[in-house]
Amino acid sequence: MSEDTPAGETSRGFPGGRGTPGHGEAPRGETDTRRDPADEKESPENRKGDEAPGAGPRVDAEEHDGPVSEQDALRLLVDGSGRDDAERHEALRAGALADEIARRLNADASGTRIGTLALFNDSVTFGGGFHPGGTRAGASGPAVAPASAMDPAELTGHTELFLPPDGYEEAVDALRERRVLVLTGPPGSGREATAVNLLAEAQVMEDGGAGGCHWLLTPSAVLRAGWEPPVKDAGYLAVLEDGPDGLREFAAAFGTSGGAGQWASVVSALRSADCLLVLTGGHDLEVLAAGPGGDQVARHPVTPVDPLALVERRVLGHGGGPDARAELHALLERTGATTALREQPAARNAARLASVIRADGDVTAAVAQLRDPSEQVRAWFNRYREPEAVAFALAAAVLEECGYLTVAEAAVHLRAALTEPETAPPDLRFADRLGHEQQWIRLELPDESRLAPGPPRVRFRNALLAQTILAYAWNALDGRRDAILQWLRRLLNHTDLQVRARAAVAAGVLALADPHYAVHRFLTTWAGSTSWPLRQAAATALGVAGSRPETAEAVWELLHRWARGDASAYQRRLAGTAANAVGGLLGRTAPERAVVVLRAALDREGDWGTLPAVAWGGVHLVHQRQTAALLDAYLEWSEPQDLSPMVVKSLSAFVFAVSVPYEEPVVDAAGTDADRTRVPGVPVLLSELPRYPERLAELWARALARKPVQDAALDALRDWIDDYADACPGALEAIGVLLLSVARRPGRHRERLTWWLEKWAADRRSPSANAARLLHTLDRDR
């Protein structure tokens, strides 16, 4: 391309520049016909002062059916259409989230073993210790209501060091009065221990309870006509599992008004035999017992006890002085047990740790096992297989920290993909079941003291659970993998930027499980898509997938291959995705490899279409604190200082980098002291100018002296002087040092800078006081 290519004086600019729509300023120089004297000698044709290039229809290089021309690529790069801004915001947010996820994945402080699920060596079990229908495992009784007396050791284990939950005394009174008590709570909440203690205490208060306590092995038998307790003066405990199998026989008794008569008969039989009955279960039993038939029985929810208090009771008994308690709590803190019990506050976990402490066992190992997200996830998926539970777990894993309504909506869509079509919307109430089916999730309520508290947020108690759930579901739920992928792709088109970013990170977590499969199953398709949200998702996913040492090399090889592709539109999009990907986490960890990918994507013969993607990749590298590597690359690529395509592309990308204002990341995973120099709304390369004076001076000199980059460079320089210098402490003085360095170089640099500073200082519409000051600085240096 020759230097006489038409170029507007300063009427166009990069994002944030004066040429972007909405700036509110007419093109400068309309009444000033002076020309740059240096330009008159450097170009056969004078600058066309007031022409505004870029007019006419926008050329979308990414959808173009063939090689993109230089003019179209430069126009696309400087086009302030707003879409590039959207891409940039999404890339920054997704990149910040990817950083945080990768940090969690690579952390091993808790002894977790994420990624070692050993899925194909897994045994299929059903949680809860009960067969469907409520029969206790190992029991095979006749049709009449069999009962099994509790072993004395089991009874002692439940009662000796029992810590009563809140409302326990009221529950005792209700059981004595009504004879039947429905006691509900999440699995592992201590509901069985509470039931045993209620029976034992209520029996003693009655008449000594000579019959003892019994497991009722066929709970539904109590509903049969003529049922009588098999042992008099006894207490009975029946465990009802959630789900249709565990509660089918009780649906009519609780759910209809006719069931009241059944329960009246049960209560009468219990009174006649001086017996008591406690039915324990979870959320489904709680809902069912609230029906019309439940009016005949007492109902009581188990209030969770403080797990630390439970450990203290189990270890120290009913005594224990202040020194012993302090020593115990120090042990819990030192071994991480306190954190583990905050993440998994179920009573059974506290009891398990207490037994290890009493036996002088390895508490640290027990804590590591308890916190291992792989074991938690394996056990949960073995227990809960219904689409409702699975859908909410996966939605929370993808959209953790989003508002409850956002997560619930995503879960509804996923459930629909996992079930047969329904004629009417299902009655789904995920929040009601969180404490029962999803104990690993907490619904963090907003701070009501704040002016705008915001919505409830969905968060996992363990930072690694979300990623482990995704990995397990992707590997284990073979029949649902396609539905999960289609649902995830749908989230990538969500109107909420946060949802799209988190869905992209989730795709990266899926790719970690089997990168080769993910590349061929969905990542390559997304990376070459005509939809930029899908391309951004592929770039983010590859950043997460390449964050682990065992997968990094394969990801880098893939990006190099994409960057070197041919000039077809599809291969160009792959190269652009590669450039975007290396501007994120991958580029921060290996900047030297990142610039190699950027060069390969940029130096494509006859193809200018990757220039915008490479320019954005460079900006993201700067935001990843890899400025030196990028500037060195631009200096090397533009070293010939001629009109070759690589020189023009490199300098155009540099000018783009100095034009893009800094935006604070959504999540600052690195948090280095270097961030203090960065000013939101000001280009990073201006705020960090004193750190790289020689590199930036040389690149500025090359850009200001070379068409067609010169036009955009002049716009960027004036933006630095007029728009950004006053917002950044010390920036104007640093610009002065920069311009002196440029002016002292051989050639017509001083003459050019003087001419333009004079023009801007004397601008009739918007005279620049800062330009006048800088002009004075140059004059004093003569």
Side-chain angles (χ1 to χ4, degrees), residues 339-692:
T339 300
L341 292 176
R342 279 198 300 266
E343 294 174 352
Q344 298 193 71
R348 65 181 172 197
N349 297 324
R352 186 188 313 169
L353 284 179
S355 65
V356 173
I357 295 172
R358 287 201 312 270
D360 291 327
D362 188 340
V363 181
T364 301
V367 168
Q369 183 179 18
L370 179 60
R371 296 194 69 195
D372 183 355
S374 298
E375 293 303 321
Q376 293 180 55
V377 170
R378 188 200 309 273
W380 188 90
F381 273 97
N382 280 341
R383 183 179 182 87
Y384 297 104
R385 302 191 176 203
E386 293 301 313
E388 288 81 0
V390 171
F392 193 87
L394 287 173
V398 173
L399 303 176
E400 185 181 7
E401 297 187 1
C402 288
Y404 169 76
L405 295 181
T406 299
V407 177
E409 179 185 43
V412 170
H413 289 310
L414 179 56
R415 178 195 174 275
L418 301 178
T419 57
E420 294 292 331
E422 297 171 306
T423 57
D427 182 12
L428 298 174
R429 307 181 188 189
F430 295 116
D432 290 347
R433 311 181 73 93
L434 285 183
H436 293 258
E437 293 176 349
Q438 309 273 3
Q439 295 181 58
W440 50 19
I441 295 174
R442 58 190 174 92
L443 195 59
E444 189 171 278
L445 299 178
D447 183 358
E448 297 296 339
S449 64
R450 298 176 58 185
L451 184 61
R457 300 283 172 181
V458 175
R459 288 187 171 91
F460 282 93
R461 297 181 183 275
N462 183 310
L464 286 176
L465 274 172
Q467 287 72 57
T468 314
I469 288 170
L470 287 170
Y472 188 96
W474 183 248
N475 285 279
L477 306 184
D478 295 322
R480 294 173 169 178
R481 190 173 298 117
D482 189 61
I484 292 171
L485 186 59
Q486 292 302 318
W487 167 74
L488 196 62
R489 191 184 186 285
R490 181 176 179 176
L491 291 180
L492 294 173
N493 289 314
H494 199 281
T495 56
D496 188 339
L497 179 62
Q498 182 176 183
V499 171
R500 296 198 300 272
R502 291 184 180 277
V505 170
V509 174
L510 300 185
L512 274 170
D514 187 341
H516 180 80
Y517 176 84
V519 166
H520 293 282
R521 179 65 178 84
F522 62 92
L523 284 180
T524 302
T525 302
W526 293 2
S529 171
T530 58
S531 166
W532 70 260
L534 284 182
R535 295 197 299 275
Q536 174 58 49
T540 301
L542 286 166
V544 176
S547 66
R548 300 290 293 273
E550 60 269 27
T551 57
E553 191 60 34
V555 170
W556 277 110
E557 289 179 2
L558 176 70
L559 296 177
H560 282 289
R561 186 165 66 250
W562 284 356
R564 294 191 301 266
D566 59 42
S568 68
Y570 175 72
Q571 290 293 334
R572 183 186 307 119
R573 290 193 290 270
L574 290 180
T577 301
N580 190 0
V582 301
L585 175 64
L586 292 171
R588 194 181 77 199
T589 55
E592 297 80 8
R593 302 191 73 167
V595 296
V596 172
V597 171
L598 290 180
R599 172 157 194 164
L602 194 62
D603 193 11
R604 295 155 60 89
E605 186 174 355
D607 185 5
W608 286 72
T610 56
L611 175 57
V614 172
W616 273 118
V619 170
H620 293 149
L621 273 182
V622 170
H623 287 196
Q624 293 283 357
R625 307 169 186 88
Q626 302 303 326
T627 303
L630 182 71
L631 295 182
D632 288 341
Y634 286 159
L635 285 169
E636 178 187 346
W637 304 345
S638 63
E639 180 61 31
Q641 300 187 55
D642 53 20
L643 292 179
S644 61
M646 192 60 184
V647 171
V648 176
K649 292 177 183 179
S650 304
L651 293 178
S652 296
F654 163 72
V655 175
F656 187 78
V658 300
S659 304
V660 177
Y662 175 64
E663 180 179 327
E664 289 184 301
V666 177
V667 179
D668 186 8
T672 64
D673 292 338
D675 293 339
R676 297 174 183 173
T677 65
R678 299 183 172 192
V679 179
V682 174
V684 173
L685 293 180
L686 172 56
S687 59
E688 294 186 349
L689 179 56
R691 295 185 179 183
Y692 312 100

Side-chain angles (χ1 to χ4, degrees), residues 279-292:
L279 302 174
T280 67
H283 177 265
D284 288 352
L285 177 61
E286 183 178 352
V287 173
L288 197 60

Side-chain angles (χ1 to χ4, degrees), residues 740-755:
L740 284 175
S741 180
V742 173
R744 290 167 181 168
R745 280 166 163 72
R748 303 180 62 82
H749 299 291
R750 181 181 296 273
E751 185 178 359
R752 180 183 300 106
L753 288 174
T754 300
W755 192 90

Side-chain angles (χ1 to χ4, degrees), residues 58-62 71-79 84 612:
R58 180 174 187 255
V59 179
D60 191 340
E62 293 162 326
Q71 184 177 4
D72 289 342
L74 293 175
R75 182 179 301 156
L76 181 64
L77 187 62
V78 302
D79 181 9
D84 285 339

Side-chain angles (χ1 to χ4, degrees), residues 88-442:
R88 168 169 162 259
H89 289 304
E90 181 143 345
L92 289 173
R93 173 167 288 184
L97 288 170
D99 281 2
E100 180 64 14
I101 294 299
R103 185 190 64 78
R104 294 177 185 177
L105 291 174
N106 292 320
D108 197 32
S110 63
T112 55
R113 296 186 290 114
I114 182 171
T116 58
L117 295 173
L119 295 169
F120 301 104
N121 295 322
D122 201 9
S123 58
V124 179
T125 59
F126 294 88
F130 294 87
H131 292 301
T135 305
R136 194 162 178 80
S140 57
V144 293
S148 173
M150 290 186 187
D151 182 89
E154 184 178 18
L155 188 63
T156 300
H158 279 313
T159 58
E160 185 177 23
L161 297 173
F162 176 67
L163 183 65
D166 291 342
Y168 176 77
E169 296 299 332
E170 290 83 349
V172 172
D173 293 340
L175 176 59
R176 291 182 60 232
E177 179 183 350
R178 307 294 290 272
R179 295 290 167 170
V180 178
L181 174 68
V182 175
L183 185 72
T184 55
S189 61
R191 62 192 184 191
E192 288 187 15
T194 302
V196 171
N197 280 271
L198 287 170
L199 289 171
E201 188 162 343
Q203 284 179 278
V204 170
M205 293 171 65
E206 284 286 327
D207 56 7
C213 291
H214 299 259
W215 294 104
L216 196 59
L217 301 180
T218 308
S220 60
V222 302
L223 301 176
R224 298 170 187 169
W227 175 81
E228 293 182 357
V231 179
K232 296 182 181 299
D233 299 324
Y236 293 90
L237 172 59
V239 179
L240 305 180
E241 291 297 288
D242 276 353
D245 291 333
L247 297 173
R248 182 182 294 112
E249 301 292 338
F250 288 86
F254 280 123
T256 64
S257 56
Q262 289 180 284
W263 285 116
S265 298
V266 173
V267 170
S268 177
L270 290 168
R271 289 189 187 279
S272 298
D274 290 327
C275 291
L276 304 170
L277 170 62
V278 176
L279 302 174
T280 67
H283 177 265
D284 288 352
L285 177 61
E286 183 178 352
V287 173
L288 197 60
D295 292 342
Q296 299 295 314
V297 303
R299 300 192 301 274
H300 186 79
V302 175
T303 303
V305 298
D306 180 359
L308 294 177
L310 195 152
V311 171
E312 186 175 307
R313 172 64 61 85
R314 290 293 186 99
V315 174
L316 302 178
H318 294 280
D323 291 342
R325 287 197 297 272
E327 183 179 354
L328 174 61
H329 283 276
L331 172 67
L332 297 177
E333 287 288 343
R334 184 172 64 254
T335 59
T338 302
T339 300
L341 292 176
R342 279 198 300 266
E343 294 174 352
Q344 298 193 71
R348 65 181 172 197
N349 297 324
R352 186 188 313 169
L353 284 179
S355 65
V356 173
I357 295 172
R358 287 201 312 270
D360 291 327
D362 188 340
V363 181
T364 301
V367 168
Q369 183 179 18
L370 179 60
R371 296 194 69 195
D372 183 355
S374 298
E375 293 303 321
Q376 293 180 55
V377 170
R378 188 200 309 273
W380 188 90
F381 273 97
N382 280 341
R383 183 179 182 87
Y384 297 104
R385 302 191 176 203
E386 293 301 313
E388 288 81 0
V390 171
F392 193 87
L394 287 173
V398 173
L399 303 176
E400 185 181 7
E401 297 187 1
C402 288
Y404 169 76
L405 295 181
T406 299
V407 177
E409 179 185 43
V412 170
H413 289 310
L414 179 56
R415 178 195 174 275
L418 301 178
T419 57
E420 294 292 331
E422 297 171 306
T423 57
D427 182 12
L428 298 174
R429 307 181 188 189
F430 295 116
D432 290 347
R433 311 181 73 93
L434 285 183
H436 293 258
E437 293 176 349
Q438 309 273 3
Q439 295 181 58
W440 50 19
I441 295 174
R442 58 190 174 92

